[in-house]
Amino acid sequence: MAERDQMSATTESTSGNMIFEPILEEGVFRFDCSGDDRNMAFPSLSFPDSKVRDTPLMIHKEPHFIPTFEHLHGQQVVTMKLPIGTSFYGTGEVSGQLERTGKRIFTWNTDAWGYGPGTTSLYQSHPWVLAVLPNGEALGVLADTTRRCEIDLCEESKIKIVAPASYPIITFGPLPSPTAVLVSLSHAIGTVFMPPKWSLGYHQCRWSYESEERVLEIAETFRKKGIPCDVIWMDIDYMDGFRCFTFDKDRFSNPKALVNELHLNGFKAIWMLDPGIKHEEGYFVYDSGSKEDVWIQKVDGKPFVGDVWPGPCVFPDFTQQKTRSWWAKLVKDFISNGVDGIWNDMNEPAVFKSVTKTMPESNIHRGDAEFGGLQNHSHYHNVYGMLMARSTYEGMKLAAKEKRPFVLTRAGFIGSQRYAATWTGDNLSNWEHLHMSLSMVLQLGLSGQPLSGPDIGGFAGNATPTLFGRWMGMGAMFPFCRGHSEQSTSDHEPWSFGEECEEVCRLALLRRYRLIPHIYTLFYMAHTKGTPVATPTFFADPKDPSLRRSENSFLLGPLLVCASTVPVRGSELPHVLPKGIWLRFDFEDSHLDLPTLYLQGGFIIPVGPPFQHVGEANPTDDLSLILALDENGKAEGVIFEDDGDGYGFNRGEYLLTYYVAELHGSLITLKISKTEGSWSRPKRKLHVHLLLGGGAKLDAWGNDGEVIQLTLPSKLEVSNLISACEEQYKIRIENAKQIPELEEVSGQKGVELSKTPVELKSGDWLLKVVPLIGGRMISMTHLPTGTQWLHSRVEVDGYEEYSGVEYRSAGCTEEYTVVEHNLEPEGEDESLKLEGDIGGGLVLQRQISVPKNYPRLLHIDSGIIARNVGAGSGGFSRLVCLRAHPSFTLLHPTEVYVTFESIDGSKHEIWPDSGEQSFEGDLRPNGEWMLVDKCLKLGLVNRFKIDEVYKCLIHWGTGTVNLELWSEQRPVSKNHL
């Protein structure tokens, strides 16, 4: 508390002592106002060449892009004003909109199950902003700090970064394009690891496939149904009591035999490892770690113990070389069981039974000197997951030096792309999360992490057939492609939603496998040159402001993927094409639930056969080239080929082929312009598809390595080809079996019970209420700030009331029916009224409204109404108590508190470490209490009538706070938020 109260009111400007330095290359500058103590964020991790530190002094050539520094309240505040019309992107793994203006995020790795579009801290931290200037040039801004960092983009064209202590700012640019900035960034933080080719196939996962038999059944079904797949994943239930590096003796008794069987059918196996090691003597991992003294410590020097899946756990201190070596040796031995890849989860690190969802910031890491040495957890928290992924990656290399490791990590920091892929965490099975998944993958790519993807279909909740099919259609085009769902949900394999959805999934994945030669080439370029893989559509024309907020399409190199992320049918939805030539094509697989594909004029992309798994491919297979000429009649493209694994490409053992096509008169000539690598060209056929427009194409065959010529038809013939192709496309769309609409949709008056949230949007608030389960409000977003004060899963928490508590058990809820849904009544409040029959002739009624004349106020009226209370009903006692208990998600668990003044005049600040507290009599809040988030600098005021409330209770949960009001002998309780 004393530390919280030490808030200085002084402001110290230190811009006069700023150091300007160029690093690595022209256009990259370091701004530092911290003198000799630069608080570097691990130069050996974020900046592998360590050139940042040892460079000569130079003044920035562009004074307009120099940040200003000031120290305020013990924090360093950096601001940068950019030209009006600048668009912001990046900020790492974030939810919500693609264009980040108006958003504020905090870099603090957080276990953020079921996050929403307004959640400000997710699983990874990237203190990085990509600014696209009005003229199409771009600038990158990196805060070189590992501590909790606020990136405030709420004000137009202004970047504000706030973090404790002094930290350098590094700018990249301005450079001619966003791509140039990302290449420059990759030269500083390192490029993505070169993924094994099989990892670019489809991955199937679930929490959990419960036995070896079930895993083999899933694999067999993929092959039987002709749905491509390369990898089956094993979640935590394969372990013996959730102990890492062990196998359940009954359900996974012979992992080697299981993996051998999977390998025979073309599958790889990936297994999970968490950082929480069970605190149990006799468990070999715990015993060896204790002997090596590798655990994170408390202030008193004893190992920190926190609960995770196995129960009480200790945590490896990956900031020490000896710990990383110890872990790597465990991984090396683990690989001998047939492990092809490793999945690092829970490595924020997540800790159960903790309000902060992680370990105390006072814990001690005995880090290596180059990382900062002995520091508390607040210094190392954001890099813990990256250091674990690095240790896992190095352990896999020890086990098989000529195989490329594949590691997937949930937590990470800028630079972690050198060791691991990532996914977007525990998302939800709904349309909002489908839509967000596109922006999230793109933002990760714009922050230096190109190998990412969401849990296709959503992790939590049950997808509908249409949602799953649409998600697979788009997800099959993402850099990392994995389906995953949590326990207690329905099956989420591609065949689980009926024949129509199964066919959409099959078409989507066959399409992905045909494009793997192109995707693999993009990753080789990303690994060797630092170019991005998936980018927003505006990268095709950064000068065009109309493209900068496009969120239903993206680019894979020159390939434009246009997908629908809303419930209405997909391909018919309008999408914006960049200027220039964009020619539609498909593989005769068009479907309204699949994305529409366009190739940019001037480019050639390589395409392979539609295999069931990557291992089926051979160098002598026919190679297809799809080409689109630009306005000058030219096109060029490239394909990278090697063994698909190992490091032979570093020794020249590969073939990189550049193709060029050019139109002279009516004759198009395709040839090889240059090659790299020592591999000989395979003897294979080359199939050329020249796109003409409208989906029409001209085909030609030849031998790869020889000149191939095509004669362009006359304009009339081209027009006829296009007309015929468009007619065929229309027929294919009409004849395609549509996924049946099985959505549950809430209507207006008299809505039936439903799990589909009803929305109320008005003034400052956007609410989502689920009628079926207690009329629970599961989402409460403050629109002006984008803050989600409430975001809960459908099944638990949220804002609701209990009645008749004397008859009820914890977690039991009423069922409500929507009786009125007035979204825009003229001259009235916008409102939602729900009723639930609670027995005994009684009805529990709630009305949620936003007053027209006071949009900041959210008004909740709740009461018990006696509709038909007769003698002997016994129900009238239900009027005794009404309990309102909103459970608010804590976006920044260590930086929130509840404050109020009691009836007796005493003032209170209740922090998370105070546990549960109740207030009765004159200690009750005097009509209101406020939940304050210090990071957001916002408070949520909860008002109520004192004479209707006899007890107020504050309960701090794991990342939540429950503010309860108990009403006694009153039929109505009113709450104003």
Side-chain angles (χ1 to χ4, degrees), residues 508-571:
L509 292 173
L510 286 169
R511 176 182 281 188
R512 177 180 184 84
Y513 276 70
R514 296 204 66 173
L515 288 167
I516 279 181
H518 173 57
I519 298 171
Y520 190 56
T521 301
L522 290 176
F523 271 103
Y524 173 74
M525 295 301 180
H527 172 69
T528 55
K529 301 181 183 300
T531 52
V533 174
T535 58
T537 300
F538 76 82
F539 268 53
D541 187 1
K543 296 180 181 180
D544 185 351
S546 68
L547 297 175
R548 294 192 181 181
R549 295 192 176 186
S550 177
E551 294 187 356
N552 65 347
S553 62
F554 66 99
L555 292 161
L556 278 172
L559 177 62
L560 180 64
V561 179
C562 299
S564 170
T565 58
V566 293
V568 295
R569 288 295 177 192
S571 296

Side-chain angles (χ1 to χ4, degrees), residues 286-590:
Y286 174 77
D287 290 344
S288 67
S290 297
K291 182 180 178 180
E292 297 287 337
D293 187 25
V294 302
W295 310 126
I296 294 172
Q297 297 178 345
K298 297 184 295 182
V299 175
D300 61 10
K302 296 178 181 179
F304 167 74
V305 179
D307 279 11
V308 200
W309 298 115
C313 289
V314 289
F315 297 81
D317 184 358
F318 293 109
T319 67
Q320 300 181 87
Q321 176 60 49
K322 70 173 183 179
T323 305
R324 297 194 298 276
S325 297
W326 166 81
W327 183 268
K329 289 171 65 177
L330 288 169
V331 169
K332 177 185 176 183
D333 295 340
F334 188 58
I335 295 296
S336 66
N337 293 288
V339 172
D340 296 303
I342 292 178
W343 175 14
N344 289 161
D345 193 21
M346 307 295 287
N347 55 341
E348 290 73 35
V351 179
F352 298 160
K353 300 180 183 178
S354 165
V355 173
T356 65
K357 298 187 178 183
T358 190
M359 61 180 59
E361 293 184 41
S362 59
N363 278 0
I364 300 300
H365 295 259
R366 294 163 286 167
D368 298 338
E370 64 267 29
F371 294 172
L374 185 72
Q375 297 275 358
N376 62 26
H377 184 67
S378 62
H379 180 77
Y380 286 117
H381 174 84
N382 282 338
V383 296
Y384 186 82
M386 177 171 72
L387 290 170
M388 181 186 183
R390 172 180 170 176
S391 305
T392 304
Y393 180 90
E394 290 170 348
M396 293 193 71
K397 289 192 75 171
L398 283 176
K401 294 182 180 179
E402 282 305 311
K403 282 193 174 182
R404 300 174 203 160
F406 181 81
V407 179
L408 184 82
T409 185
R410 189 167 79 174
F413 186 71
I414 195 160
S416 62
Q417 71 281 346
R418 299 197 302 279
Y419 314 114
T422 195
W423 86 106
T424 60
D426 296 340
N427 59 0
L428 303 179
S429 292
N430 61 39
W431 290 98
E432 181 177 56
H433 275 255
L434 164 60
H435 182 79
M436 280 198 306
S437 68
L438 174 53
S439 296
M440 293 182 75
V441 169
L442 295 179
Q443 298 291 16
L444 281 162
L446 298 183
S447 304
Q449 173 53 282
L451 187 49
S452 70
D455 283 344
I456 293 174
F459 175 70
N462 295 317
T464 63
T466 305
L467 174 64
F468 190 86
R470 194 78 58 77
W471 210 326
M472 184 66 79
M474 185 173 73
M477 297 288 101
F478 284 151
F480 175 61
C481 180
R482 183 183 76 157
H484 183 36
S485 56
E486 75 169 344
Q487 62 180 359
S488 303
T489 62
S490 59
D491 288 345
H492 276 62
E493 289 75 42
W495 54 82
S496 302
F497 299 91
E499 292 182 1
E500 298 85 358
C501 182
E502 178 184 321
E503 177 62 11
V504 168
C505 293
R506 183 182 294 107
L507 292 173
L509 292 173
L510 286 169
R511 176 182 281 188
R512 177 180 184 84
Y513 276 70
R514 296 204 66 173
L515 288 167
I516 279 181
H518 173 57
I519 298 171
Y520 190 56
T521 301
L522 290 176
F523 271 103
Y524 173 74
M525 295 301 180
H527 172 69
T528 55
K529 301 181 183 300
T531 52
V533 174
T535 58
T537 300
F538 76 82
F539 268 53
D541 187 1
K543 296 180 181 180
D544 185 351
S546 68
L547 297 175
R548 294 192 181 181
R549 295 192 176 186
S550 177
E551 294 187 356
N552 65 347
S553 62
F554 66 99
L555 292 161
L556 278 172
L559 177 62
L560 180 64
V561 179
C562 299
S564 170
T565 58
V566 293
V568 295
R569 288 295 177 192
S571 296
E572 294 180 339
L573 289 179
H575 40 258
V576 180
L577 293 177
K579 296 172 185 175
I581 297 173
W582 295 89
L583 300 180
R584 180 176 60 81
F585 73 96
D586 57 33
F587 300 102
E588 298 186 353
D589 57 359
S590 301

Side-chain angles (χ1 to χ4, degrees), residues 114 117 428-433 460-462 464 467 567 743-748 751-761 766-781 788 790-796 798-799 816-818 820-821 823 832 834 846 848:
L428 303 179
S429 292
N430 61 39
W431 290 98
E432 181 177 56
H433 275 255
N462 295 317
T464 63
L467 174 64
E743 315 288 344
E744 295 178 328
V745 180
S746 294
Q748 300 292 325
V751 168
E752 295 298 317
L753 297 179
S754 172
K755 284 188 177 180
T756 303
V758 178
E759 287 194 359
L760 178 64
K761 182 177 181 180
L766 171 62
L767 313 178
K768 291 186 179 179
V769 182
V770 180
L772 178 61
I773 45 167
R776 182 178 301 118
M777 192 188 306
I778 62 167
S779 177
M780 189 171 81
T781 302
Q788 281 193 283
L790 185 68
H791 186 86
S792 302
R793 60 188 295 175
V794 170
E795 290 83 4
V796 296
Y799 189 109
Y816 285 58
T817 300
V818 176
E820 284 186 20
H821 187 189
L823 288 182
L832 183 68
L834 307 100
R846 301 178 63 198
I848 307 168

Side-chain angles (χ1 to χ4, degrees), residues 85-305:
T86 296
S87 304
F88 295 131
Y89 303 90
T91 67
E93 185 188 47
V94 288
S95 55
Q97 67 197 38
L98 176 65
E99 210 279 322
R100 304 304 294 166
T101 299
K103 292 294 184 180
R104 179 192 286 112
I105 71 108
F106 295 84
T107 61
W108 186 252
N109 291 5
T110 303
D111 179 2
W113 188 101
Y115 54 84
T119 305
T120 57
S121 296
L122 295 184
Y123 308 90
Q124 301 202 11
S125 294
H126 301 78
W128 159 262
V129 178
L130 175 66
V132 182
L133 306 176
N135 64 359
E137 294 183 354
L139 176 80
V141 180
L142 176 66
D144 190 16
T145 177
T146 61
R147 294 181 181 271
R148 181 187 278 108
C149 178
E150 175 186 353
I151 301 176
D152 184 348
L153 305 175
C154 293
E155 188 175 333
E156 183 183 4
S157 303
K158 179 181 177 181
I159 300 171
K160 180 181 177 182
I161 302 174
V162 183
S166 296
Y167 55 92
I169 288 291
I170 299 165
T171 64
F172 299 78
L175 295 172
S177 68
T179 296
V181 171
L182 293 181
V183 170
S184 185
L185 174 68
S186 71
H187 290 175
I189 66 172
T191 61
V192 66
F193 72 99
M194 185 61 189
K197 197 171 186 179
W198 57 262
S199 69
L200 300 181
Y202 176 66
H203 301 240
Q204 183 62 51
C205 184
R206 180 171 175 81
W207 175 28
S208 290
Y209 292 127
E210 66 274 7
S211 66
E212 296 169 342
E213 291 76 19
R214 179 59 174 159
V215 171
L216 292 174
E217 179 187 356
I218 293 294
E220 180 183 354
T221 306
F222 270 104
R223 297 293 179 251
K224 180 180 176 182
K225 290 182 173 292
I227 300 174
C229 183
D230 263 270
V231 192
I232 307 293
W233 290 58
M234 265 53 73
D235 210 316
I236 52 176
D237 293 290
Y238 80 83
M239 301 177 191
D240 177 14
F242 306 127
R243 298 172 183 86
C244 288
F245 302 103
T246 69
F247 299 89
D248 186 280
K249 295 179 177 61
D250 296 322
R251 294 178 294 118
F252 288 87
S253 59
N254 195 339
K256 283 186 180 180
L258 170 62
V259 174
N260 287 340
E261 187 72 20
L262 289 173
H263 286 176
L264 287 173
N265 287 293
F267 289 94
K268 304 291 184 182
I270 292 180
W271 307 72
M272 175 179 281
L273 289 176
D274 289 347
I277 301 301
K278 187 166 187 179
H279 185 267
E280 177 183 68
E281 291 186 5
Y283 167 36
F284 75 97
V285 180
Y286 174 77
D287 290 344
S288 67
S290 297
K291 182 180 178 180
E292 297 287 337
D293 187 25
V294 302
W295 310 126
I296 294 172
Q297 297 178 345
K298 297 184 295 182
V299 175
D300 61 10
K302 296 178 181 179
F304 167 74
V305 179

